[in-house]
Amino acid sequence: MTRHWADFQYEIYLNGTTGAVPRLPTDLTRLEELTERRLGPGPVGYVAGSAGDGSTARANRAALERRRIVPRMLRDVHERDLSVEVLGRALPAPLALAPVGVLSIMHPDAESAAARAAAAQGVPYVLSSASSTPMEQVAEAMGDAERWFQLYWPKDPEVARSFLTRARAAGYTVLVVTLDTPLLAWRPRDLDQAYLPFLHGVGTANYFSDPAFRAGLDKPVHEDPDAAVAHFVGMFADPAKTWPDLAFLRENWDGPIVLKGVMHPDDARLAADAGMDGVIVSNHGGRQVAGAVAAADALPGVVDAVGERLTVLFDSGVRTGADIAKALALGARAVLVGRPYVYGLALDGQAGVEHVIRCLLAELDLTLALSGHATAATLGRADLVEGTG
């Protein structure tokens, strides 16, 4: 059954007849400021902060804002269908919740609340390796809803293999491998607060619950938590990995594999040559390389290089339904959204995340209709012009 996402606006207006207004703003760009007021500088800085002076995060927004939609008139848009097929999965809309770690710093219900929200709205939830809730517990919260697992590829192959085995057993269907974080970037907002949750054992739930990880400890985690943290820090990422190492993932995961952080067409071609199923054009929301190319500026080149061979997804800088429409017009099959849903979580738990999903998809639905499109499939680069922002 086709979801009529735009009906959310009428629901809001009808509720208004009884004096009720939305608990959170429907302009999602306002959520960051509200979260800044609600939470301490450490947690807010960890989520909102970016690499260096923030130039890449600003470039992400500017690249989307610079592209302007050209509406077309007198096209039959009375029935819209936002559903898409992504990696062999039928989704009700071209949206997934991006992997964001350590969500317990934003809300006590953490990843489980975000996962329940995604499940309630039918969009995939991508669980971070660095979650503050074990993957099995998040899976349980979702029932049989679509869930993907994001891997920060650790140095220890036994831990990597164990993570993949556990994720498969818990019903995660797609593996998302983040490539752009072999090291933590220079992030002044975190550095100025000396704030890194992992050093306090937050965001380590998948590791501390993992048999292969625990096998490398002299004492149980609860007896020597500092040693467990040190073990985690020593294996979390591996700057020595290269393209041939992808064979390990293919041997240990029998579903689709998507590489996140691909920005260069040649890297996208290497991903296709390695037998991967998709790439996510992403610069980690500007959190890894200051001065990097905006994700939306990199997207067309990657689509041109591998769009016939791989599923191309997009994230970094998406804040509105119109942004999603622009990314689809540039060739993305679907879009992942990160910070906005995390702010929704911080402000109102599961309900806040659902609010963000429904706002994004209502605005996307209306943007498509008002631009002359009944489905995302008819969007293309000819529907955009480049302006000055």
Side-chain angles (χ1 to χ4, degrees):
M1 182 179 131
T2 303
R3 285 283 297 263
H4 296 99
W5 296 100
D7 288 350
F8 185 38
Q9 73 165 331
Y10 299 113
E11 183 184 313
I12 292 172
Y13 287 136
L14 283 171
N15 288 338
T17 63
T18 65
V21 298
R23 286 165 58 88
L24 296 181
T26 54
D27 173 359
L28 301 180
T29 64
R30 294 177 54 204
L31 297 181
E32 181 175 341
E33 182 191 348
L34 290 175
T35 306
E36 294 254 13
R37 283 192 232 147
R38 183 80 57 90
L39 296 185
V44 170
Y46 184 79
V47 173
S50 299
D53 64 355
S55 62
T56 303
R58 291 193 299 274
N60 284 337
R61 291 297 308 138
L64 287 165
E65 289 171 3
R66 193 176 71 246
R67 291 173 168 87
R68 315 304 296 177
I69 297 165
V70 184
R72 301 297 302 275
M73 298 298 114
L74 292 175
R75 293 176 168 186
D76 184 354
V77 294
H78 85 287
E79 276 291 335
R80 275 106 47 214
D81 183 359
L82 266 58
S83 64
V84 290
E85 186 177 299
V86 177
L87 299 164
R89 273 136 195 87
L91 306 182
L95 178 71
L97 298 191
V100 180
V102 292
L103 289 183
S104 63
I105 66 174
M106 304 304 280
H107 191 279
D109 291 342
E111 292 81 11
S112 295
R116 284 194 302 269
Q121 297 301 320
V123 302
Y125 179 69
V126 190
L127 179 73
S128 172
S129 283
S131 62
S132 36
T133 314
M135 64 182 88
E136 293 84 1
Q137 190 176 324
V138 176
E140 196 175 329
M142 295 192 75
D144 60 0
E146 186 71 30
R147 50 185 173 271
W148 304 355
F149 180 71
Q150 176 268 345
L151 180 70
Y152 280 122
W153 198 348
K155 278 182 187 167
D156 186 334
E158 293 311 311
V159 172
R161 190 177 285 115
S162 181
F163 270 26
L164 300 187
T165 301
R166 289 171 61 195
R168 243 352 197 160
Y172 295 85
T173 57
V174 173
L175 179 64
V176 175
V177 186
T178 298
L179 301 182
D180 60 16
T181 315
L183 300 164
L184 278 184
W186 186 256
R187 298 178 186 166
R189 285 188 71 170
D190 295 339
L191 290 162
D192 291 352
Q193 298 290 328
Y195 184 84
L196 188 61
F198 304 111
L199 299 186
H200 303 282
V202 180
T204 56
N206 286 316
Y207 300 84
F208 288 4
S209 62
D210 190 80
F213 178 91
R214 293 195 304 227
L217 300 175
D218 292 330
K219 295 180 181 177
V221 174
H222 68 274
E223 286 186 20
D224 194 347
D226 291 345
V229 166
H231 189 47
F232 162 81
V233 169
M235 79 160 60
F236 174 71
D238 185 1
K241 292 260 189 321
T242 58
W243 291 97
D245 291 313
L246 290 172
F248 171 88
L249 299 177
R250 187 43 86 197
E251 288 161 14
N252 288 280
W253 183 265
D254 60 1
I257 303 176
V258 178
L259 304 183
K260 183 172 182 281
V262 172
M263 297 285 282
H264 195 291
D266 287 349
D267 284 348
R269 292 185 186 99
L270 288 167
D273 292 345
M276 300 294 102
D277 299 280
V279 293
I280 302 174
V281 176
S282 166
N283 55 30
H284 217 104
R287 288 168 62 75
Q288 281 301 97
V289 179
V293 60
D297 287 336
L299 177 58
V302 171
V303 170
D304 290 345
V306 299
E308 298 295 316
R309 302 168 68 191
L310 297 179
T311 298
V312 179
L313 308 176
F314 175 80
D315 84 12
S316 296
V318 173
R319 297 293 179 271
T320 68
D323 291 339
I324 297 174
K326 292 174 186 180
L328 298 173
L330 292 172
R333 187 75 180 147
V335 170
L336 286 76
V337 66
R339 287 183 179 101
Y341 90 76
V342 177
Y343 300 141
L345 174 71
L347 294 166
D348 201 18
Q350 177 183 339
V353 179
E354 289 198 55
H355 174 83
V356 168
I357 294 168
R358 296 185 76 191
C359 286
L360 286 169
L361 292 179
E363 187 183 6
L364 172 62
D365 190 357
L366 292 164
T367 300
L368 287 179
L370 294 168
S371 304
H373 300 276
T375 74
T378 59
L379 277 172
R381 292 181 202 174
D383 296 297
L384 302 177
V385 296
E386 293 217 20
T388 54

Short mmCIF file of all heavy atoms in Angstrom, two decimals, residues 160-217:
data_model
loop_
_atom_site.label_atom_id
_atom_site.label_comp_id
_atom_site.label_asym_id
_atom_site.label_seq_id
_atom_site.Cartn_x
_atom_site.Cartn_y
_atom_site.Cartn_z
N ALA A 160 36.05 -8.53 13.76
CA ALA A 160 35.28 -8.18 12.57
C ALA A 160 34.37 -9.34 12.16
O ALA A 160 33.17 -9.16 11.90
CB ALA A 160 36.21 -7.82 11.42
N ARG A 161 34.93 -10.54 12.13
CA ARG A 161 34.15 -11.72 11.74
C ARG A 161 33.01 -11.96 12.73
O ARG A 161 31.88 -12.27 12.33
CB ARG A 161 35.08 -12.94 11.66
CG ARG A 161 34.43 -14.17 11.04
CD ARG A 161 35.42 -15.32 10.93
NE ARG A 161 36.36 -15.13 9.83
CZ ARG A 161 37.67 -14.95 9.97
NH1 ARG A 161 38.21 -14.94 11.20
NH2 ARG A 161 38.45 -14.79 8.94
N SER A 162 33.30 -11.78 14.00
CA SER A 162 32.27 -11.98 15.03
C SER A 162 31.14 -10.96 14.88
O SER A 162 29.95 -11.30 14.98
CB SER A 162 32.90 -11.87 16.42
OG SER A 162 31.94 -12.09 17.43
N PHE A 163 31.50 -9.70 14.62
CA PHE A 163 30.48 -8.67 14.41
C PHE A 163 29.56 -9.05 13.25
O PHE A 163 28.33 -8.92 13.34
CB PHE A 163 31.14 -7.32 14.10
CG PHE A 163 31.43 -6.47 15.31
CD1 PHE A 163 31.63 -7.04 16.56
CD2 PHE A 163 31.51 -5.10 15.20
CE1 PHE A 163 31.91 -6.25 17.67
CE2 PHE A 163 31.77 -4.30 16.30
CZ PHE A 163 31.97 -4.87 17.54
N LEU A 164 30.15 -9.51 12.15
CA LEU A 164 29.35 -9.84 10.97
C LEU A 164 28.45 -11.04 11.25
O LEU A 164 27.28 -11.06 10.84
CB LEU A 164 30.27 -10.12 9.78
CG LEU A 164 31.18 -8.96 9.35
CD1 LEU A 164 31.91 -9.29 8.07
CD2 LEU A 164 30.40 -7.67 9.19
N THR A 165 28.98 -12.02 11.96
CA THR A 165 28.17 -13.19 12.31
C THR A 165 27.01 -12.80 13.21
O THR A 165 25.86 -13.24 13.01
CB THR A 165 29.05 -14.24 13.02
OG1 THR A 165 30.13 -14.61 12.15
CG2 THR A 165 28.25 -15.48 13.38
N ARG A 166 27.29 -11.97 14.21
CA ARG A 166 26.22 -11.52 15.12
C ARG A 166 25.17 -10.70 14.38
O ARG A 166 23.96 -10.86 14.61
CB ARG A 166 26.83 -10.68 16.25
CG ARG A 166 27.65 -11.45 17.26
CD ARG A 166 28.37 -10.49 18.20
NE ARG A 166 27.45 -9.65 18.97
CZ ARG A 166 27.83 -8.56 19.63
NH1 ARG A 166 29.11 -8.17 19.62
NH2 ARG A 166 26.95 -7.84 20.31
N ALA A 167 25.63 -9.80 13.51
CA ALA A 167 24.69 -8.93 12.79
C ALA A 167 23.76 -9.76 11.90
O ALA A 167 22.55 -9.53 11.85
CB ALA A 167 25.44 -7.90 11.97
N ARG A 168 24.34 -10.73 11.22
CA ARG A 168 23.54 -11.61 10.36
C ARG A 168 22.50 -12.36 11.19
O ARG A 168 21.32 -12.44 10.83
CB ARG A 168 24.46 -12.61 9.65
CG ARG A 168 24.58 -12.61 8.15
CD ARG A 168 23.65 -11.75 7.46
NE ARG A 168 23.51 -12.06 6.03
CZ ARG A 168 22.47 -11.66 5.34
NH1 ARG A 168 21.48 -11.02 5.92
NH2 ARG A 168 22.38 -11.89 4.05
N ALA A 169 22.96 -12.91 12.32
CA ALA A 169 22.05 -13.69 13.18
C ALA A 169 20.93 -12.82 13.75
O ALA A 169 19.84 -13.31 14.02
CB ALA A 169 22.85 -14.33 14.32
N ALA A 170 21.20 -11.52 13.91
CA ALA A 170 20.20 -10.60 14.47
C ALA A 170 19.32 -9.97 13.40
O ALA A 170 18.54 -9.06 13.71
CB ALA A 170 20.90 -9.52 15.29
N GLY A 171 19.46 -10.42 12.17
CA GLY A 171 18.54 -9.98 11.12
C GLY A 171 18.91 -8.71 10.38
O GLY A 171 18.08 -8.13 9.69
N TYR A 172 20.16 -8.28 10.53
CA TYR A 172 20.62 -7.13 9.72
C TYR A 172 20.89 -7.64 8.31
O TYR A 172 21.55 -8.67 8.13
CB TYR A 172 21.86 -6.50 10.34
CG TYR A 172 21.60 -5.87 11.69
CD1 TYR A 172 21.63 -6.63 12.86
CD2 TYR A 172 21.27 -4.52 11.79
CE1 TYR A 172 21.36 -6.06 14.10
CE2 TYR A 172 21.00 -3.94 13.04
CZ TYR A 172 21.05 -4.72 14.18
OH TYR A 172 20.78 -4.15 15.40
N THR A 173 20.39 -6.93 7.31
CA THR A 173 20.38 -7.47 5.95
C THR A 173 21.45 -6.90 5.03
O THR A 173 21.88 -7.55 4.10
CB THR A 173 19.01 -7.23 5.29
OG1 THR A 173 18.74 -5.83 5.30
CG2 THR A 173 17.91 -7.98 6.02
N VAL A 174 21.86 -5.66 5.30
CA VAL A 174 22.84 -4.98 4.45
C VAL A 174 24.01 -4.57 5.32
O VAL A 174 23.83 -4.09 6.45
CB VAL A 174 22.21 -3.73 3.77
CG1 VAL A 174 23.27 -2.91 3.04
CG2 VAL A 174 21.09 -4.14 2.82
N LEU A 175 25.22 -4.75 4.82
CA LEU A 175 26.43 -4.32 5.52
C LEU A 175 26.91 -3.00 4.94
O LEU A 175 27.14 -2.89 3.74
CB LEU A 175 27.53 -5.37 5.38
CG LEU A 175 28.86 -5.04 6.05
CD1 LEU A 175 28.70 -4.94 7.57
CD2 LEU A 175 29.92 -6.09 5.70
N VAL A 176 27.03 -1.99 5.80
CA VAL A 176 27.53 -0.67 5.41
C VAL A 176 28.91 -0.50 6.05
O VAL A 176 29.03 -0.49 7.27
CB VAL A 176 26.58 0.44 5.89
CG1 VAL A 176 27.16 1.82 5.59
CG2 VAL A 176 25.21 0.28 5.25
N VAL A 177 29.94 -0.41 5.22
CA VAL A 177 31.32 -0.34 5.73
C VAL A 177 31.84 1.08 5.57
O VAL A 177 31.98 1.59 4.45
CB VAL A 177 32.23 -1.32 4.97
CG1 VAL A 177 33.62 -1.34 5.60
CG2 VAL A 177 31.63 -2.72 4.95
N THR A 178 32.11 1.73 6.69
CA THR A 178 32.60 3.11 6.65
C THR A 178 34.10 3.11 6.40
O THR A 178 34.87 2.54 7.18
CB THR A 178 32.27 3.84 7.95
OG1 THR A 178 30.85 3.89 8.11
CG2 THR A 178 32.81 5.26 7.94
N LEU A 179 34.50 3.76 5.32
CA LEU A 179 35.91 3.77 4.92
C LEU A 179 36.64 5.06 5.31
O LEU A 179 37.87 5.09 5.29
CB LEU A 179 36.03 3.61 3.40
CG LEU A 179 35.44 2.33 2.79
CD1 LEU A 179 35.70 2.32 1.28
CD2 LEU A 179 36.01 1.09 3.45
N ASP A 180 35.88 6.11 5.64
CA ASP A 180 36.51 7.43 5.78
C ASP A 180 37.00 7.74 7.19
O ASP A 180 37.36 8.87 7.48
CB ASP A 180 35.56 8.53 5.27
CG ASP A 180 34.24 8.58 6.06
OD1 ASP A 180 34.18 7.99 7.16
OD2 ASP A 180 33.28 9.20 5.57
N THR A 181 37.01 6.72 8.07
CA THR A 181 37.39 6.98 9.46
C THR A 181 38.47 6.00 9.94
O THR A 181 38.32 5.35 10.97
CB THR A 181 36.14 6.90 10.37
OG1 THR A 181 35.08 7.61 9.74
CG2 THR A 181 36.39 7.54 11.72
N PRO A 182 39.58 5.89 9.17
CA PRO A 182 40.67 5.06 9.67
C PRO A 182 41.39 5.71 10.85
O PRO A 182 42.13 5.05 11.58
CB PRO A 182 41.60 4.94 8.46
CG PRO A 182 41.36 6.18 7.68
CD PRO A 182 39.90 6.50 7.86
N LEU A 183 41.13 7.00 11.02
CA LEU A 183 41.62 7.76 12.17
C LEU A 183 40.54 8.78 12.51
O LEU A 183 39.75 9.17 11.65
CB LEU A 183 42.90 8.53 11.82
CG LEU A 183 44.12 7.71 11.37
CD1 LEU A 183 45.14 8.64 10.71
CD2 LEU A 183 44.74 7.01 12.57
N LEU A 184 40.50 9.22 13.78
CA LEU A 184 39.60 10.31 14.13
C LEU A 184 40.20 11.62 13.63
O LEU A 184 41.39 11.87 13.77
CB LEU A 184 39.43 10.39 15.65
CG LEU A 184 38.41 9.45 16.30
CD1 LEU A 184 38.31 9.77 17.79
CD2 LEU A 184 37.04 9.56 15.64
N ALA A 185 39.35 12.46 13.08
CA ALA A 185 39.81 13.74 12.56
C ALA A 185 40.07 14.74 13.68
O ALA A 185 39.70 14.52 14.84
CB ALA A 185 38.75 14.30 11.61
N TRP A 186 40.69 15.85 13.29
CA TRP A 186 40.89 16.98 14.20
C TRP A 186 39.55 17.70 14.33
O TRP A 186 39.10 18.38 13.41
CB TRP A 186 41.95 17.91 13.62
CG TRP A 186 42.36 19.04 14.53
CD1 TRP A 186 42.00 20.34 14.43
CD2 TRP A 186 43.23 18.96 15.66
NE1 TRP A 186 42.58 21.09 15.43
CE2 TRP A 186 43.34 20.25 16.20
CE3 TRP A 186 43.93 17.90 16.27
CZ2 TRP A 186 44.12 20.53 17.32
CZ3 TRP A 186 44.71 18.18 17.38
CH2 TRP A 186 44.80 19.49 17.90
N ARG A 187 38.91 17.53 15.51
CA ARG A 187 37.58 18.10 15.73
C ARG A 187 37.61 19.06 16.92
O ARG A 187 37.52 18.64 18.08
CB ARG A 187 36.56 16.99 15.99
CG ARG A 187 36.39 16.03 14.82
CD ARG A 187 35.40 14.93 15.15
NE ARG A 187 35.34 13.92 14.09
CZ ARG A 187 34.77 12.73 14.23
NH1 ARG A 187 34.22 12.39 15.38
NH2 ARG A 187 34.75 11.88 13.22
N PRO A 188 37.77 20.34 16.64
CA PRO A 188 37.99 21.31 17.73
C PRO A 188 36.88 21.34 18.78
O PRO A 188 37.18 21.54 19.97
CB PRO A 188 38.09 22.65 16.99
CG PRO A 188 38.68 22.27 15.66
CD PRO A 188 38.02 20.96 15.32
N ARG A 189 35.61 21.14 18.40
CA ARG A 189 34.57 21.23 19.43
C ARG A 189 34.73 20.11 20.46
O ARG A 189 34.47 20.31 21.64
CB ARG A 189 33.17 21.19 18.80
CG ARG A 189 32.80 22.48 18.12
CD ARG A 189 31.35 22.51 17.66
NE ARG A 189 30.38 22.60 18.74
CZ ARG A 189 29.08 22.83 18.55
NH1 ARG A 189 28.61 23.00 17.33
NH2 ARG A 189 28.25 22.90 19.58
N ASP A 190 35.16 18.94 20.00
CA ASP A 190 35.42 17.85 20.94
C ASP A 190 36.71 18.09 21.71
O ASP A 190 36.79 17.85 22.92
CB ASP A 190 35.51 16.51 20.20
CG ASP A 190 34.19 16.11 19.57
OD1 ASP A 190 33.14 16.62 20.01
OD2 ASP A 190 34.20 15.30 18.63
N LEU A 191 37.72 18.56 20.99
CA LEU A 191 39.02 18.78 21.63
C LEU A 191 38.94 19.86 22.71
O LEU A 191 39.53 19.73 23.79
CB LEU A 191 40.06 19.18 20.57
CG LEU A 191 40.44 18.05 19.60
CD1 LEU A 191 41.10 18.62 18.36
CD2 LEU A 191 41.36 17.05 20.29
N ASP A 192 38.18 20.92 22.43
CA ASP A 192 38.08 22.01 23.39
C ASP A 192 37.39 21.58 24.68
O ASP A 192 37.62 22.17 25.75
CB ASP A 192 37.34 23.20 22.78
CG ASP A 192 38.14 23.89 21.69
OD1 ASP A 192 39.33 23.54 21.52
OD2 ASP A 192 37.58 24.75 20.99
N GLN A 193 36.54 20.56 24.59
CA GLN A 193 35.88 20.02 25.78
C GLN A 193 36.60 18.77 26.31
O GLN A 193 36.18 18.19 27.31
CB GLN A 193 34.43 19.63 25.44
CG GLN A 193 33.56 20.78 24.99
CD GLN A 193 33.24 21.75 26.11
OE1 GLN A 193 33.14 21.36 27.27
NE2 GLN A 193 33.12 23.03 25.77
N ALA A 194 37.67 18.36 25.58
CA ALA A 194 38.36 17.09 25.89
C ALA A 194 37.33 15.96 26.02
O ALA A 194 37.37 15.16 26.95
CB ALA A 194 39.21 17.21 27.15
N TYR A 195 36.43 15.92 25.05
CA TYR A 195 35.25 15.05 25.15
C TYR A 195 35.32 13.95 24.10
O TYR A 195 35.18 14.20 22.90
CB TYR A 195 33.98 15.88 24.95
CG TYR A 195 32.69 15.09 25.13
CD1 TYR A 195 32.15 14.90 26.40
CD2 TYR A 195 32.02 14.56 24.04
CE1 TYR A 195 30.97 14.18 26.58
CE2 TYR A 195 30.84 13.85 24.20
CZ TYR A 195 30.32 13.67 25.47
OH TYR A 195 29.15 12.97 25.64
N LEU A 196 35.55 12.71 24.55
CA LEU A 196 35.50 11.55 23.67
C LEU A 196 34.80 10.43 24.44
O LEU A 196 35.40 9.80 25.32
CB LEU A 196 36.91 11.12 23.24
CG LEU A 196 36.96 10.03 22.16
CD1 LEU A 196 36.29 10.49 20.87
CD2 LEU A 196 38.41 9.62 21.90
N PRO A 197 33.52 10.17 24.15
CA PRO A 197 32.73 9.25 24.97
C PRO A 197 33.34 7.86 25.08
O PRO A 197 33.21 7.21 26.13
CB PRO A 197 31.38 9.19 24.23
CG PRO A 197 31.34 10.38 23.34
CD PRO A 197 32.75 10.75 23.04
N PHE A 198 34.02 7.40 24.03
CA PHE A 198 34.55 6.03 24.03
C PHE A 198 35.51 5.79 25.19
O PHE A 198 35.59 4.68 25.72
CB PHE A 198 35.29 5.75 22.71
CG PHE A 198 34.44 5.98 21.50
CD1 PHE A 198 34.72 7.03 20.63
CD2 PHE A 198 33.37 5.15 21.21
CE1 PHE A 198 33.93 7.24 19.51
CE2 PHE A 198 32.58 5.36 20.09
CZ PHE A 198 32.86 6.41 19.24
N LEU A 199 36.23 6.83 25.58
CA LEU A 199 37.21 6.66 26.66
C LEU A 199 36.53 6.43 28.01
O LEU A 199 37.18 6.04 28.98
CB LEU A 199 38.14 7.87 26.74
CG LEU A 199 38.98 8.13 25.47
CD1 LEU A 199 39.97 9.25 25.69
CD2 LEU A 199 39.70 6.86 25.03
N HIS A 200 35.23 6.68 28.05
CA HIS A 200 34.45 6.40 29.26
C HIS A 200 33.59 5.14 29.09
O HIS A 200 32.67 4.89 29.87
CB HIS A 200 33.56 7.61 29.59
CG HIS A 200 34.33 8.89 29.76
ND1 HIS A 200 35.03 9.20 30.91
CD2 HIS A 200 34.56 9.92 28.91
CE1 HIS A 200 35.63 10.36 30.77
NE2 HIS A 200 35.36 10.82 29.56
N GLY A 201 33.90 4.38 28.04
CA GLY A 201 33.16 3.14 27.81
C GLY A 201 31.77 3.38 27.25
O GLY A 201 30.89 2.51 27.37
N VAL A 202 31.53 4.53 26.64
CA VAL A 202 30.24 4.83 26.01
C VAL A 202 30.40 4.69 24.50
O VAL A 202 31.34 5.23 23.92
CB VAL A 202 29.77 6.26 26.36
CG1 VAL A 202 28.43 6.57 25.70
CG2 VAL A 202 29.68 6.42 27.87
N GLY A 203 29.50 3.96 23.88
CA GLY A 203 29.63 3.69 22.44
C GLY A 203 30.42 2.42 22.16
O GLY A 203 30.80 2.17 21.01
N THR A 204 30.64 1.64 23.20
CA THR A 204 31.45 0.42 23.06
C THR A 204 30.63 -0.85 23.29
O THR A 204 31.19 -1.94 23.46
CB THR A 204 32.61 0.45 24.07
OG1 THR A 204 32.05 0.62 25.39
CG2 THR A 204 33.56 1.61 23.79
N ALA A 205 29.30 -0.73 23.31
CA ALA A 205 28.45 -1.86 23.72
C ALA A 205 28.64 -3.09 22.83
O ALA A 205 28.65 -4.23 23.32
CB ALA A 205 26.98 -1.44 23.71
N ASN A 206 28.80 -2.88 21.52
CA ASN A 206 28.97 -4.03 20.63
C ASN A 206 30.30 -4.74 20.89
O ASN A 206 30.40 -5.96 20.74
CB ASN A 206 28.88 -3.60 19.16
CG ASN A 206 27.45 -3.29 18.76
OD1 ASN A 206 26.53 -4.03 19.09
ND2 ASN A 206 27.27 -2.18 18.06
N TYR A 207 31.31 -3.96 21.27
CA TYR A 207 32.62 -4.54 21.54
C TYR A 207 32.63 -5.27 22.88
O TYR A 207 33.05 -6.43 22.97
CB TYR A 207 33.69 -3.43 21.51
CG TYR A 207 33.76 -2.72 20.18
CD1 TYR A 207 32.89 -1.68 19.88
CD2 TYR A 207 34.68 -3.11 19.21
CE1 TYR A 207 32.94 -1.02 18.66
CE2 TYR A 207 34.73 -2.47 17.99
CZ TYR A 207 33.86 -1.43 17.71
OH TYR A 207 33.90 -0.81 16.49
N PHE A 208 32.15 -4.58 23.90
CA PHE A 208 32.21 -5.16 25.24
C PHE A 208 31.32 -6.39 25.38
O PHE A 208 31.51 -7.21 26.28
CB PHE A 208 31.83 -4.12 26.30
CG PHE A 208 32.87 -3.04 26.51
CD1 PHE A 208 34.02 -2.99 25.73
CD2 PHE A 208 32.70 -2.08 27.50
CE1 PHE A 208 34.97 -1.99 25.92
CE2 PHE A 208 33.65 -1.09 27.71
CZ PHE A 208 34.79 -1.04 26.91
N SER A 209 30.35 -6.54 24.48
CA SER A 209 29.47 -7.72 24.51
C SER A 209 29.94 -8.81 23.54
O SER A 209 29.29 -9.84 23.42
CB SER A 209 28.04 -7.31 24.15
OG SER A 209 27.97 -6.79 22.84
N ASP A 210 31.08 -8.58 22.88
CA ASP A 210 31.49 -9.50 21.83
C ASP A 210 32.46 -10.57 22.34
O ASP A 210 33.48 -10.23 22.99
CB ASP A 210 32.17 -8.72 20.69
CG ASP A 210 32.39 -9.59 19.48
OD1 ASP A 210 31.42 -9.79 18.72
OD2 ASP A 210 33.51 -10.12 19.33
N PRO A 211 32.20 -11.83 22.07
CA PRO A 211 33.08 -12.89 22.58
C PRO A 211 34.51 -12.81 22.05
O PRO A 211 35.46 -13.06 22.81
CB PRO A 211 32.40 -14.19 22.13
CG PRO A 211 31.39 -13.79 21.09
CD PRO A 211 31.01 -12.38 21.38
N ALA A 212 34.67 -12.43 20.78
CA ALA A 212 36.03 -12.33 20.23
C ALA A 212 36.79 -11.17 20.86
O ALA A 212 37.99 -11.26 21.12
CB ALA A 212 35.97 -12.17 18.71
N PHE A 213 36.09 -10.07 21.11
CA PHE A 213 36.73 -8.93 21.78
C PHE A 213 37.12 -9.32 23.20
O PHE A 213 38.24 -9.07 23.64
CB PHE A 213 35.76 -7.74 21.79
CG PHE A 213 36.30 -6.53 22.50
CD1 PHE A 213 37.01 -5.56 21.81
CD2 PHE A 213 36.10 -6.35 23.87
CE1 PHE A 213 37.51 -4.44 22.47
CE2 PHE A 213 36.60 -5.24 24.54
CZ PHE A 213 37.31 -4.28 23.82
N ARG A 214 36.19 -9.95 23.91
CA ARG A 214 36.46 -10.29 25.32
C ARG A 214 37.56 -11.34 25.45
O ARG A 214 38.25 -11.39 26.47
CB ARG A 214 35.17 -10.77 25.98
CG ARG A 214 34.14 -9.65 26.10
CD ARG A 214 33.01 -9.99 27.06
NE ARG A 214 32.32 -11.21 26.73
CZ ARG A 214 31.00 -11.34 26.68
NH1 ARG A 214 30.23 -10.29 26.93
NH2 ARG A 214 30.44 -12.50 26.41
N ALA A 215 37.73 -12.14 24.41
CA ALA A 215 38.80 -13.15 24.44
C ALA A 215 40.18 -12.50 24.49
O ALA A 215 41.16 -13.13 24.92
CB ALA A 215 38.69 -14.06 23.23
N GLY A 216 40.26 -11.22 24.07
CA GLY A 216 41.54 -10.52 24.09
C GLY A 216 41.82 -9.79 25.40
O GLY A 216 42.83 -9.10 25.51
N LEU A 217 40.92 -9.94 26.38
CA LEU A 217 41.10 -9.26 27.67
C LEU A 217 41.61 -10.23 28.72
O LEU A 217 41.25 -11.40 28.73
CB LEU A 217 39.75 -8.68 28.14
CG LEU A 217 39.08 -7.65 27.23
CD1 LEU A 217 37.70 -7.28 27.79
CD2 LEU A 217 39.95 -6.40 27.09
#
